[in-house]
Amino acid sequence: MKLTTEQILERVRKLMALATSENESEAAAAMAKARQILQENGLKIEDIQAKTNDTKGIEVSVETGKKVRTSWMIVLGGIIADFFDCKCIFTPRTVSFIGLASDAEVAGYTFDQAKNRIEWLAYLKTGEYTRKMAEVGIVTRYLTGPRHPKAWRNSWMTGFLYGLKTQLQEEKARQTAETVSTALVLRK
Protein backbone atom coordinates (compact mmCIF):
# COMPACT_ATOMS: atom_id res chain seq x y z
CA MET A 1 0.00 0.00 0.00
CA LYS A 2 1.42 3.33 -1.09
CA LEU A 3 1.21 6.15 1.45
CA THR A 4 0.14 9.64 0.41
CA THR A 5 2.53 12.55 0.83
CA GLU A 6 0.48 13.84 3.77
CA GLN A 7 0.66 10.45 5.51
CA ILE A 8 4.42 10.35 4.99
CA LEU A 9 4.81 13.88 6.38
CA GLU A 10 2.66 13.00 9.40
CA ARG A 11 4.84 9.95 10.08
CA VAL A 12 7.98 12.09 9.85
CA ARG A 13 6.42 14.70 12.19
CA LYS A 14 5.82 11.98 14.78
CA LEU A 15 9.39 10.72 14.42
CA MET A 16 10.73 14.25 14.85
CA ALA A 17 8.65 14.66 18.00
CA LEU A 18 10.20 11.42 19.25
CA ALA A 19 13.62 12.85 18.37
CA THR A 20 13.26 15.27 21.29
CA SER A 21 13.28 12.35 23.73
CA GLU A 22 15.65 12.54 26.70
CA ASN A 23 16.99 9.13 25.72
CA GLU A 24 19.86 10.02 23.36
CA SER A 25 19.88 6.74 21.42
CA GLU A 26 16.10 6.83 20.94
CA ALA A 27 16.26 10.44 19.77
CA ALA A 28 19.11 9.72 17.35
CA ALA A 29 17.34 6.65 15.92
CA ALA A 30 14.11 8.61 15.42
CA MET A 31 15.93 11.46 13.65
CA ALA A 32 17.83 9.02 11.42
CA LYS A 33 14.59 7.23 10.47
CA ALA A 34 12.90 10.56 9.72
CA ARG A 35 15.77 11.57 7.43
CA GLN A 36 15.67 8.17 5.72
CA ILE A 37 11.92 8.42 5.04
CA LEU A 38 12.30 11.95 3.69
CA GLN A 39 15.16 10.89 1.41
CA GLU A 40 13.37 7.77 0.14
CA ASN A 41 10.32 9.85 -0.82
CA GLY A 42 12.20 12.81 -2.30
CA LEU A 43 10.98 15.19 0.40
CA LYS A 44 12.78 17.83 2.42
CA ILE A 45 12.42 19.10 5.97
CA GLU A 46 11.00 22.32 4.52
CA ASP A 47 8.00 20.31 3.27
CA ILE A 48 7.12 19.46 6.87
CA GLN A 49 7.56 23.03 8.03
CA ALA A 50 5.45 24.33 5.15
CA LYS A 51 2.57 22.08 6.22
CA THR A 52 2.72 23.11 9.88
CA ASN A 53 1.83 26.42 11.43
CA ASP A 54 5.47 27.41 11.83
CA THR A 55 5.09 31.09 11.04
CA LYS A 56 4.08 32.02 14.58
CA GLY A 57 6.71 33.27 16.95
CA ILE A 58 6.94 31.42 20.24
CA GLU A 59 9.01 31.57 23.41
CA VAL A 60 10.75 28.46 24.67
CA SER A 61 12.17 28.62 28.20
CA VAL A 62 14.91 26.37 29.54
CA GLU A 63 15.47 25.95 33.28
CA THR A 64 19.17 26.17 34.13
CA GLY A 65 18.96 25.03 37.73
CA LYS A 66 21.32 27.77 38.87
CA LYS A 67 21.95 31.46 38.44
CA VAL A 68 22.13 32.25 34.78
CA ARG A 69 24.41 35.21 35.26
CA THR A 70 27.50 33.08 34.66
CA SER A 71 29.21 34.65 31.68
CA TRP A 72 29.74 31.41 29.78
CA MET A 73 26.00 30.61 29.82
CA ILE A 74 25.21 34.06 28.46
CA VAL A 75 27.77 33.57 25.67
CA LEU A 76 26.42 30.07 24.91
CA GLY A 77 22.85 31.41 24.72
CA GLY A 78 23.94 34.14 22.32
CA ILE A 79 25.84 31.70 20.09
CA ILE A 80 22.91 29.30 19.86
CA ALA A 81 20.33 32.08 19.38
CA ASP A 82 22.41 33.49 16.51
CA PHE A 83 22.75 30.10 14.82
CA PHE A 84 19.01 29.34 15.01
CA ASP A 85 17.89 32.90 14.15
CA CYS A 86 16.28 33.53 17.55
CA LYS A 87 16.48 36.13 20.27
CA CYS A 88 17.77 35.10 23.68
CA ILE A 89 16.52 36.49 26.99
CA PHE A 90 18.01 35.69 30.39
CA THR A 91 16.01 35.77 33.60
CA PRO A 92 17.00 34.33 36.98
CA ARG A 93 17.39 30.56 36.51
CA THR A 94 15.84 30.61 33.01
CA VAL A 95 16.98 31.16 29.44
CA SER A 96 14.28 31.90 26.86
CA PHE A 97 14.56 31.68 23.09
CA ILE A 98 12.08 33.64 20.97
CA GLY A 99 11.66 32.88 17.28
CA LEU A 100 9.74 30.72 14.84
CA ALA A 101 8.32 27.62 16.50
CA SER A 102 10.79 25.09 15.10
CA ASP A 103 13.79 27.40 15.53
CA ALA A 104 13.00 28.31 19.14
CA GLU A 105 12.29 24.71 20.14
CA VAL A 106 15.51 23.42 18.60
CA ALA A 107 17.49 26.31 20.10
CA GLY A 108 16.10 25.55 23.57
CA TYR A 109 16.88 21.85 23.27
CA THR A 110 20.36 22.56 21.88
CA PHE A 111 21.12 25.02 24.69
CA ASP A 112 20.06 22.53 27.36
CA GLN A 113 22.14 19.70 25.87
CA ALA A 114 25.17 21.91 25.20
CA LYS A 115 25.06 23.42 28.71
CA ASN A 116 25.03 19.98 30.32
CA ARG A 117 27.82 18.68 28.07
CA ILE A 118 30.04 21.75 28.58
CA GLU A 119 29.62 21.56 32.36
CA TRP A 120 30.58 17.88 32.31
CA LEU A 121 33.60 18.40 30.06
CA ALA A 122 34.76 21.35 32.18
CA TYR A 123 34.47 19.19 35.29
CA LEU A 124 36.61 16.49 33.66
CA LYS A 125 39.21 18.94 32.32
CA THR A 126 39.49 20.74 35.67
CA GLY A 127 40.04 17.39 37.37
CA GLU A 128 42.83 16.58 34.90
CA TYR A 129 44.42 19.99 35.56
CA THR A 130 44.25 19.52 39.33
CA ARG A 131 45.80 16.03 39.07
CA LYS A 132 48.63 17.29 36.86
CA MET A 133 49.38 20.10 39.29
CA ALA A 134 49.40 17.58 42.17
CA GLU A 135 51.85 15.36 40.25
CA VAL A 136 54.41 18.17 40.26
CA GLY A 137 53.75 18.93 43.92
CA ILE A 138 51.46 21.96 43.64
CA VAL A 139 48.41 22.06 45.91
CA THR A 140 45.79 23.88 43.84
CA ARG A 141 43.62 25.10 46.73
CA TYR A 142 46.42 27.53 47.67
CA LEU A 143 46.76 28.95 44.17
CA THR A 144 45.43 32.39 43.27
CA GLY A 145 44.94 34.20 40.01
CA PRO A 146 44.97 32.45 36.63
CA ARG A 147 46.45 29.22 38.03
CA HIS A 148 43.51 28.60 40.39
CA PRO A 149 41.30 25.73 39.14
CA LYS A 150 38.20 27.97 38.83
CA ALA A 151 40.12 30.49 36.74
CA TRP A 152 41.56 27.67 34.63
CA ARG A 153 38.03 26.20 34.19
CA ASN A 154 36.63 29.56 33.05
CA SER A 155 39.51 29.98 30.62
CA TRP A 156 38.89 26.49 29.21
CA MET A 157 35.17 27.24 28.80
CA THR A 158 35.92 30.51 27.03
CA GLY A 159 38.17 28.71 24.55
CA PHE A 160 35.61 25.95 24.04
CA LEU A 161 32.84 28.48 23.34
CA TYR A 162 35.06 30.38 20.90
CA GLY A 163 35.64 27.14 18.98
CA LEU A 164 31.91 26.33 19.04
CA LYS A 165 31.03 29.81 17.76
CA THR A 166 33.57 29.53 14.94
CA GLN A 167 32.25 26.13 13.84
CA LEU A 168 28.61 27.23 13.94
CA GLN A 169 29.37 30.40 11.95
CA GLU A 170 31.15 28.30 9.30
CA GLU A 171 28.21 25.87 9.17
CA LYS A 172 25.69 28.72 8.83
CA ALA A 173 27.77 30.30 6.06
CA ARG A 174 27.93 26.94 4.27
CA GLN A 175 24.15 26.48 4.58
CA THR A 176 23.55 30.00 3.31
CA ALA A 177 25.87 29.43 0.34
CA GLU A 178 24.04 26.18 -0.53
CA THR A 179 20.66 27.92 -0.32
CA VAL A 180 21.83 30.78 -2.53
CA SER A 181 23.51 28.49 -5.04
CA THR A 182 20.45 26.28 -5.43
CA ALA A 183 18.09 29.24 -5.61
CA LEU A 184 19.80 30.77 -8.65
CA VAL A 185 18.78 29.25 -11.96
CA LEU A 186 20.15 30.51 -15.25
CA ARG A 187 17.72 30.68 -18.15
CA LYS A 188 18.49 30.95 -21.81
Side-chain angles (χ1 to χ4, degrees):
M1 178 175 142
K2 179 101 170 121
L3 297 175
T4 66
T5 303
E6 188 54 41
Q7 290 171 323
I8 293 168
L9 291 176
E10 186 59 33
R11 187 170 177 206
V12 172
R13 277 189 210 101
K14 289 177 181 176
L15 284 168
M16 291 183 74
L18 187 59
T20 62
S21 168
E22 290 186 21
N23 182 335
E24 284 187 37
S25 60
E26 184 179 83
M31 187 55 81
K33 185 66 175 173
R35 285 187 187 135
Q36 177 189 355
I37 291 171
L38 288 172
Q39 188 177 21
E40 287 172 354
N41 293 286
L43 299 170
K44 295 182 180 177
I45 196 75
E46 291 83 21
D47 297 329
I48 294 171
Q49 293 171 345
K51 300 282 184 189
T52 60
N53 190 9
D54 196 35
T55 57
K56 286 186 176 179
I58 66 164
E59 178 178 347
V60 174
S61 296
V62 179
E63 294 288 327
T64 62
K66 59 178 81 170
K67 273 190 174 175
V68 174
R69 296 295 176 213
T70 55
S71 61
W72 72 269
M73 271 195 215
I74 294 171
V75 171
L76 177 63
I79 291 169
I80 290 174
D82 182 50
F83 184 73
F84 290 105
D85 298 320
C86 294
K87 299 292 180 199
C88 187
I89 298 173
F90 296 93
T91 59
R93 303 190 191 288
T94 310
V95 178
S96 298
F97 294 93
I98 300 172
L100 295 178
S102 61
D103 293 337
E105 288 172 2
V106 174
Y109 179 77
T110 303
F111 176 85
D112 190 40
Q113 295 299 313
K115 176 188 74 70
N116 293 338
R117 187 64 60 176
I118 291 169
E119 286 176 333
W120 177 247
L121 288 172
Y123 171 78
L124 293 176
K125 294 295 183 182
T126 304
E128 287 176 20
Y129 170 75
T130 303
R131 281 189 297 282
K132 286 180 182 178
M133 295 298 274
E135 287 174 7
V136 295
I138 298 173
V139 181
T140 56
R141 71 175 167 227
Y142 299 120
L143 294 176
T144 59
R147 290 179 51 189
H148 189 276
K150 282 187 179 180
W152 188 90
R153 178 181 187 264
N154 289 337
S155 177
W156 182 87
M157 288 176 136
T158 301
F160 183 90
L161 290 172
Y162 176 78
L164 178 67
K165 180 179 180 180
T166 303
Q167 286 183 338
L168 290 179
Q169 285 175 338
E170 289 171 0
E171 176 63 21
K172 193 168 188 176
R174 187 186 64 75
Q175 288 175 356
T176 303
E178 284 179 4
T179 304
V180 170
S181 66
T182 58
L184 298 175
V185 178
L186 297 176
R187 188 173 172 185
K188 268 188 171 179

